Amino acid sequence: DLSNSSEEVLKGIVAITGKTPIFEKLDLREKESVRSFFKKHNDVSGVIHFAASKAVGESVGNPLLYYENNIASLIYLLQELSKQDKANFIFSSSCTVYGQAEEMPITEDAPVQKPMSPYGNTKKIGEEIISDVAKVTSVNAILLRYFNPVGAHPSAEIGELPIGVPQNLVPFITQTGSGVRQELSVFGDDYPTPDGTCIRDYIHVVDLAKAHVIALQRLLNGKNLEKIETFNLGTGTGSSVLEVINSFEKMSGKKLPYKIVPRREGDITEAYANTDKANDVLGWKAQSTLDEAMASKWEPILSSPI
Ligand code: WQD
């Protein structure tokens, strides 16, 4: 629905792939729009569902936006897909379903707990809905539990371009580095971690994209071992907020202005992935390091004046 993007992205996709995707602007919260989409495009063999709001902090302040946008859109998509005699569905889920996991690195069979934010809860509920639907319909699904997606396509043609003040760490860092924002606020340095700041598993968005292609091909080729399969998508390495700042400073050669402020509601201390299942079963492994991801985010900004 372009609420947090723009049609310019299509030009970037054409520049990268040489192919012009069919684009239909619609709001997945409108049941009739979803229904008419599938009437018009009755040859859809697979769906990758990314369309959700995804900022932990924002979801705490505006839970209904998240429950409506993330759950209603999923239900309307599944209603259409379950009418097909075979439906392949890739779901963008999240490590937030683990809440604060007991053990690190986190495996796919770590207990799913009540996530610490409405955003994470919409992903937990979404996974449960998909599981219930797959049991009684033709839907085959792969749940991809993202850790922290960062970076941009190396061509600089497409990348994260949050509309308004960025909620996530890395876009806020790059906007601070390019002078759009004055100073980064680090939400707490009193966590039980080596440097006191929270640890996350920052995965390059291109690595993430490649995992989606592999997952969809797995379903299209009938290689899935169960109707629902779950994979953690991370690098397997945890990085603290201060380490991410250091990485940016190393990659950009710039000092980043920041200050320590109180903790943000809904944040967990630590999350990074055990990547064995994605490596061994899905046949996918993240290739980019945090520094490479940061460089991919920063270089385009250097080359294109803000
Ligand atoms: C990361 C760390 C903040 C902003 C993300 C996505 C969510 C899901 C899980 C995919 C935290 C700190 C942040 C700032 C800061 N991914 N921070 N100052 O909350 O881990 O969730 O990963 O589905 O969609 O949002 O990511 O980037 O908001 O925060 O200190 O200005 O950076 O406290 O420790 P988060 P984030």
Side-chain angles (χ1 to χ4, degrees), residues 150 202-204 207 235 247 286-295:
V150 291
Y202 295 95
I203 173 170
H204 196 300
D207 282 327
T235 65
S247 170
Q287 301 301 309
S288 296
T289 64
L290 175 63
D291 287 351
E292 286 159 343
M294 290 306 283

Side-chain angles (χ1 to χ4, degrees), residues 93-299:
S93 188
S94 166
C95 61
T96 36
V97 301
Y98 298 114
Q100 177 53 77
E102 294 296 310
E103 278 174 51
M104 292 298 140
I106 303 173
T107 62
E108 285 81 356
D109 46 29
V112 171
Q113 325 183 57
K114 170 121 175 57
M116 307 240 310
S117 70
Y119 159 77
N121 210 25
T122 67
K123 291 302 180 180
K124 174 174 179 286
I125 295 166
E127 289 192 356
E128 289 162 356
I129 291 170
I130 294 164
S131 168
D132 288 343
V133 168
K135 282 185 192 125
V136 292
T137 68
S138 61
V139 172
N140 288 294
I142 292 184
L143 311 177
L144 297 177
R145 290 175 177 166
Y146 301 7
F147 279 68
N148 285 54
V150 291
H153 190 272
S155 68
E157 291 289 350
I158 52 177
E160 189 173 22
L161 198 71
I163 294 169
V165 178
Q167 300 282 324
N168 296 123
L169 177 65
V170 170
F172 206 107
I173 287 180
T174 47
Q175 288 192 14
T176 304
S178 55
V180 173
R181 309 281 161 209
Q182 295 313 310
E183 183 182 50
L184 171 74
S185 296
V186 173
F187 298 140
D189 67 349
D190 57 350
Y191 285 92
T193 61
D195 65 16
T197 63
C198 296
I199 292 171
R200 297 288 185 275
D201 183 335
Y202 295 95
I203 173 170
H204 196 300
V205 69
V206 170
D207 282 327
L208 207 54
K210 288 177 180 169
H212 287 71
V213 175
I214 292 171
L216 186 56
Q217 283 167 340
R218 180 177 173 84
L219 292 184
L220 292 174
N221 300 330
K223 297 276 186 261
N224 51 312
L225 304 176
E226 296 159 86
K227 288 205 75 181
I228 299 263
E229 292 184 316
T230 304
F231 297 98
N232 285 344
L233 296 186
T235 65
T237 303
S239 303
S240 73
V241 175
L242 293 181
E243 286 170 331
V244 176
I245 292 172
N246 294 338
S247 170
F248 170 80
E249 291 181 337
K250 198 166 50 175
M251 287 300 111
S252 65
K254 292 170 74 98
K255 198 90 189 85
L256 191 87
Y258 70 87
K259 65 182 175 192
I260 306 292
V261 299
R263 295 182 175 191
R264 176 175 71 177
E265 174 75 23
D267 274 337
I268 57 167
T269 302
E270 188 174 31
Y272 56 95
N274 178 307
T275 57
D276 295 347
K277 189 178 174 190
N279 299 166
D280 303 340
V281 178
L282 195 54
W284 166 88
K285 187 170 177 48
Q287 301 301 309
S288 296
T289 64
L290 175 63
D291 287 351
E292 286 159 343
M294 290 306 283
S296 75
K297 187 86 181 172
W298 177 248
E299 271 143 24

Side-chain angles (χ1 to χ4, degrees), residues 24-79:
E24 301 267 12
K25 182 174 186 283
L26 66 92
D27 186 336
L28 289 174
R29 292 170 297 186
E30 290 163 10
K31 187 172 184 168
E32 280 319 307
S33 305
V34 179
R35 185 168 293 171
S36 50
F37 173 91
F38 279 92
K39 272 210 188 82
K40 180 177 172 188
H41 300 282
N42 56 13
D43 58 348
V44 171
S45 55
V47 169
I48 303 180
H49 181 32
F50 296 106
S53 303
K54 59 117 181 149
V56 170
E58 183 187 45
S59 77
V60 174
N62 193 347
L64 281 177
L65 167 75
Y66 277 69
Y67 285 112
E68 187 196 28
N69 190 40
N70 295 6
I71 304 291
S73 61
L74 174 65
I75 290 169
Y76 297 151
L77 269 179
L78 288 172
Q79 282 174 336

